[in-house]
């Protein structure tokens, strides 16, 4: 059987696989070997808390897709547009210009990413992405994380106050296709992230249309990658600092849109630390719950 037309005719063949609203700025530095590491009085996060899991949320309460669509509508031509005005708002149909993903050395990728990062960071209005994100994190994600900490004995009970640091703004990622580009396997420790953080990853587009999702290994170094089975209306928790992950190419002409962020947990996370030779590329909000 002949492959689908889009699979044999990729529109994206150079540069980055995704346009993202933040970028890793970590560079190898000889100073890294002398880094004393973060101070974590409680040591390593409990294994039960680091276990990959998928958390469902109520889309009638916490749907970030409409705010993302509004943001993309005004983001400008370097980020992309909807070719069909009648389907404006359907995130899978959003088109990112191939030029905006080209080799960052040529500048275009860096410029488009920096612009998208600025648009996300400025979306503070009521009903905008950041307020919706804050509500989602504080009302759904952190209480769930707190329950998990209490369940494994890391907290005396669910009422014990605990401090969290969550990445704000979150990272918005657009992965258009059909593409030959992919995100190589890596652990976030490679980019200066510390053990006491957890990663959260949520798709805003249907995997049945984009045919792509993030792949994770089950344990650090296991190399047994499997695709994350997750739907819109769910957010995955995983320990991306130690578990390697990658994203295969998007073979379809639908764009994958996702949001991800990290959360540091008091006692396990050092808010004052950044690896020598790296520059922090995410700002964080501190909350006590
Ligand atoms: Fe990563």
């Amino acid at each position: 059987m002949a492959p689908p037309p889009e699979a044999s005719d990729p529109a994206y063949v150079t540069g980055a696989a995704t346009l993202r609203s933040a970028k890793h700025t970590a560079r190898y530095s000889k100073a890294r070997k002398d880094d004393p590491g973060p101070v974590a009085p409680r040591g390593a996060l409990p294994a039960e808390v680091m276990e990959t899991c998928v958390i469902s949320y109520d889309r009638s309460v916490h749907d970030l897709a409409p705010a993302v669509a509004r943001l993309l509508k005004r983001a400008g031509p370097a980020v992309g547009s909807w070719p069909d005005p009648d389907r404006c708002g359907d995130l899978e149909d959003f088109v990112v210009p191939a030029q905006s993903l080209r080799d960052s050395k040529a500048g275009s990728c860096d410029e488009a990413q920096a612009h998208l990062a600025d648009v996300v960071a400025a979306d503070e209005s009521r009903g905008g992405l950041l307020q919706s994100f804050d509500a989602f994190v504080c009302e759904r994600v952190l209480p769930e994380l707190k329950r998990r900490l209490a369940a494994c004995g890391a907290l005396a009970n669910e009422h014990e106050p605990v401090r969290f640091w969550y990445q704000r703004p979150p990272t918005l990622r657009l992965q258009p296709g059909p593409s030959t580009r992919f995100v190589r396997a890596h652990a976030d420790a490679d980019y200066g992230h510390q053990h006491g953080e957890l990663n959260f990853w949520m798709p805003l587009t249907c995997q049945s249309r984009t045919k792509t999702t993030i792949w994770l290994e089950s344990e650090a170094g296991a190399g047994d990658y499997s695709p994350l089975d997750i739907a819109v209306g769910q957010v995955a928790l995983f320990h991306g600092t130690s578990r390697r992950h990658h994203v295969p190419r998007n073979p379809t002409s639908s764009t994958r849109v996702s949001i991800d962020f990290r959360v540091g947990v008091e006692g396990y996370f050092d808010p004052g630390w950044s690896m020598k030779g790296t520059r922090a590329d995410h700002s964080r909000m501190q909350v006590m719950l």
Side-chain angles (χ1 to χ4, degrees):
M1 195 168 78
E6 63 267 28
S8 60
D9 187 21
Y12 302 88
V13 293
T14 61
T18 64
L19 187 66
R20 59 184 186 230
S21 65
K23 53 187 175 173
H24 297 297
T25 53
R27 295 283 183 273
Y28 178 75
S29 163
K30 286 180 181 169
R32 188 178 283 194
K33 65 178 169 33
D34 302 321
D35 194 300
V39 176
R42 301 201 63 178
L45 281 166
E48 299 94 318
V49 175
M50 291 163 56
E51 217 163 275
T52 301
C53 70
V54 170
I55 301 161
S56 296
Y57 60 89
D58 185 344
R59 289 175 70 191
S60 70
V61 180
H62 295 301
D63 189 359
L64 302 187
V68 168
R70 285 193 293 273
L71 179 156
L72 291 176
K73 269 179 211 167
R74 61 173 193 276
V79 172
S81 60
W82 277 273
D84 180 353
D86 291 338
R87 299 194 70 176
C88 204
D90 194 346
L91 293 176
E92 289 90 346
D93 294 327
F94 189 75
V95 176
V96 178
Q99 174 70 28
S100 295
L101 289 164
R102 291 217 175 121
D103 194 335
S104 63
K105 286 178 188 152
S108 56
C109 187
D110 283 349
E111 284 170 23
Q113 290 194 163
H115 179 62
L116 182 58
D118 287 344
V119 172
V120 169
D123 199 15
E124 289 277 10
S125 61
R126 189 176 165 82
L129 177 60
L130 295 179
Q131 285 200 7
S132 305
F133 172 69
D134 287 339
F136 172 66
V137 171
C138 294
E139 294 167 12
R140 183 68 188 100
V141 173
L142 297 184
E144 180 69 33
L145 181 51
K146 197 171 170 185
R147 259 190 296 280
R148 288 169 67 89
L149 288 163
C152 70
L155 295 178
N157 58 61
E158 283 185 35
H159 307 292
E160 183 182 326
V162 58
R163 202 179 309 269
F164 295 102
W165 290 265
Y166 68 92
Q167 178 195 327
R168 183 187 194 274
T171 303
L172 175 64
R173 292 181 208 256
L174 315 175
Q175 185 188 6
S179 175
T180 62
R181 314 306 292 167
F182 55 89
V183 179
R184 68 170 184 84
H186 66 279
D188 291 352
D190 303 342
Y191 298 100
H193 287 283
Q194 56 182 286
H195 181 92
E197 316 178 72
L198 292 160
N199 297 54
F200 291 85
W201 191 94
M202 58 194 296
L204 299 180
T205 46
C206 275
Q207 197 179 329
S208 62
R209 285 188 60 186
T210 64
K211 310 291 183 204
T212 189
T213 184
I214 192 168
W215 289 54
L216 308 171
E217 61 180 357
S218 63
E219 292 292 337
D224 55 345
Y225 297 98
S226 59
L228 183 65
D229 185 14
I230 188 169
V232 178
Q234 295 179 312
V235 57
L237 174 163
F238 69 103
H239 194 252
T241 300
S242 65
R243 268 66 161 174
R244 284 178 294 167
H245 44 283
H246 70 90
V247 179
R249 72 188 192 95
N250 177 350
T252 75
S253 44
S254 296
T255 296
R256 175 182 70 83
V257 179
S258 62
I259 281 182
D260 57 274
F261 55 96
R262 298 180 185 83
V263 176
V265 182
E266 183 176 12
Y268 304 95
F269 173 79
D270 182 350
W273 178 82
S274 62
M275 185 187 282
K276 279 188 181 177
T278 68
R279 185 158 49 90
D281 60 354
H282 300 295
S283 52
R284 293 178 188 278
M285 179 73 86
Q286 177 181 309
V287 288
M288 180 79 94
L289 200 70

